[in-house]
Amino acid sequence: MVNRIERKLREKWFLKNKKEDFAKIANENHISEVLARLLVNRDIVESKDIHTYLHSSIDTMHNPHQLKDVDYACEILEEKIKENKRIRIVGDYDVDGVASTFLLYTALQRVGANVDYEIPERMKDGYGININIIEAAREASIDTIITCDNGIAAIEQTRYAKEIGMTFIITDHHDIPFVEEDGVRTDVLPPADAIVNPKQHDCKYPFSAICGAVVAYKLIEVLYERFSVDKREVEELLAYAAIATVCDVMDLVDENRVIVKYGLELLKKTDNKGLKALIELHQINTYKLSAYHLGFIIGPCLNASGRLETAKIGLSLLLEQDGETARQIAIQLKELNDKRKDMTARGVEQAIEMIETTDLINDKVLVVYLPDCHESLAGIIAGRLRERYHKPAIVLTKAIEGVKGSARSIEQYNMFEELTKCKEYLGKFGGHPMAAGLSLEEENIKPLRNALNERTILVEDDFINKISIDVVMPLGYVKEELVEELELLEPFGKGNEKPVFAEKDLSIIKADILGKNRNTLKLKVENQYGKRMDALYFNQIDQFNEYLIDKYGNNEVDKLYKGIPNDIKVSVVYYPNINEYNGMKTPQIIIQGIQ
């Protein structure tokens, strides 16, 4: 119990203390001083930048023609379409890959292409295009392959496709493979006819942190121009780019924020039969549809088919034109996702037990081998371990051939680069600074673990979660007007996190545990000025109780749950919220952390 309490408290709270004339900013931009302070904390100070951030529109998105090779790729596609050559899209099995495939397939069909698609199966094919997929394309008389959300690391596969006479176009967003000699890095690119990837060093596109579906969307913008398709048609496709941007955990800054903001508005009134069925099945209020619903409800359902069966089920949902069939596919996806949740919970439990009962607990980079775990769940489990220990985590599973795994990292550790330094132990690998996929032989697991830990420059301070507080704000400021104004900062997500507010020394008048799974704590709190308010705290109830018992004793905690006056005081970080019930609106706070 002590270890769990200590781990939960391994976080530091810092108050952002940026200085500006908040009253002036508020007056000039007709906003509150609280919002002015939040914008300054995001380094948004100038009136022009404030207006762009608060009132962004698709007109502020970047010119797709700035992407290297995009015009040439579309020139090739236009020629192939006019000649009725067979084109095959090769996507990927995650949400970004499915959305990218849907976008390219929809667009190429729209302009009259003779097109089909293939998505690798996670267990059989692994990540990305492979020689078997290329052979199957040759047997089907495919003339041109276009990849999406993969391909940048497919050096040998691309070379083989070219050798047998295929045209090969790559659209991708993953980091460029490189070799390093004497401290000098040299990019290694596939010999494709055209490569559309904003991470190429000679690409002039001003924002490289876009997902695969956005790369595909940019290509479609240019393609539709060449075929004189109404611009409004391409803008309708932003809904799918928005889903992929959130689910691939891209930073919601620059045009990503615009894409998700505009895409959410499109999704609220979508005509897509599959998405409507999925939204209705989960009883999501479309009026309140947010990035949360994309990342934690819609996305995981689309992902579940690629994890446990085939991603083509998720793609079929997006393509389905019949409402009843779409509903049946949505039910199938939900059932798969529920199964995935149960399997994930078991895997996380096994991984935690392994870490906390062995010397793994002392490692700075966690490498956990769960041979019986479904390989598609490795990334989710690695993410949970990263959250729990605030360390880079790699989860490996036994595959049909050798061992496969997924990695999730912390901001201080570039996972892709660190794996590159240990590539002598790996088969295939690829990814980003924060996430990667890899394969290796079983005998190389221990050497990989040792090498990553021996070569890392991480220090203990890197493993302490740091909470940056935007504003210390008494409960009396939490009003409906403020909550509505904060909506101007949405959509929230990675890179555009919810603001963090704090208040010290709150007395807890009463506590109740709610919910079918008893995973919601409802508190009645009071500050030093006598302001009382409801507060909700999710999921960490056991740790919360252990912390209070450790500090105040069982007797005081018993009083708390009985609503009897007690000595318990806590400081909290929170986000303000409005509880709507029976037509009444009441301010409340959602607690994000307690000290």
Side-chain angles (χ1 to χ4, degrees), residues 60 135 154 180 266 277 302 339 372 414 459:
T60 61
E135 281 290 356
E180 186 169 350
L266 291 170
L302 292 174
K339 180 180 177 183
D372 297 326
N414 187 319
V459 296

Side-chain angles (χ1 to χ4, degrees), residues 14 81 86 117 168 177 260 265 313 465 577:
F14 298 90
I81 291 166
R86 292 198 65 191
Y117 57 82
F168 206 93
V260 175
E265 293 306 309
I313 302 173
N465 193 26
N577 182 258

Side-chain angles (χ1 to χ4, degrees), residues 69 72 151 155 158-159 162 167-170 189-195:
D69 276 4
Y72 183 49
I155 312 291
T158 306
R159 184 177 292 119
K162 293 302 300 172
T167 299
F168 206 93
I169 298 170
I170 292 171
L189 292 167
D193 294 271
I195 299 176

Side-chain angles (χ1 to χ4, degrees), residues 27 95 198 257 312 354 574 579:
N27 288 332
V95 175
R257 185 165 172 273
K312 290 176 184 174
M354 186 177 295
Y574 71 89
N579 178 36

Side-chain angles (χ1 to χ4, degrees), residues 217-233:
Y217 176 84
K218 295 289 175 177
L219 181 139
I220 293 166
E221 282 189 282
V222 177
L223 187 67
Y224 274 18
E225 280 180 18
R226 298 182 79 97
F227 283 87
S228 302
V229 178
D230 193 311
K231 190 177 180 181
R232 285 173 296 186
E233 285 194 44

Side-chain angles (χ1 to χ4, degrees), residues 75-89 105 108-109 111-117 137 140-146 164-169 227:
E75 182 183 322
I76 294 170
L77 289 171
E78 183 179 10
E79 180 183 326
K80 300 294 184 181
I81 291 166
K82 288 179 177 176
E83 293 175 356
N84 199 36
K85 300 289 188 182
R86 292 198 65 191
I87 301 169
R88 177 162 291 175
I89 302 159
Y105 185 65
L108 286 167
Q109 277 196 320
V111 295
N114 183 359
V115 61
D116 64 13
Y117 57 82
S141 301
I142 297 296
D143 174 87
T144 300
I145 286 177
I146 178 168
I164 61 176
M166 285 184 178
T167 299
F168 206 93
I169 298 170
F227 283 87

Side-chain angles (χ1 to χ4, degrees), residues 121-126 130 132 375 400 404:
E121 291 190 16
R122 189 185 293 256
M123 300 285 283
K124 185 183 74 161
D125 299 305
N130 59 41
N132 290 336
E375 70 180 60
I400 296 171
K404 290 183 181 178

Side-chain angles (χ1 to χ4, degrees), residues 253-279:
V253 298
D254 204 286
E255 70 177 346
N256 282 343
R257 185 165 172 273
V258 179
I259 289 166
V260 175
K261 191 172 185 177
Y262 188 74
L264 282 167
E265 293 306 309
L266 291 170
L267 286 166
K268 288 175 183 178
K269 54 188 179 186
T270 183
D271 290 327
N272 184 286
K273 297 288 197 303
L275 288 176
K276 285 177 74 172
L278 207 53
I279 289 168

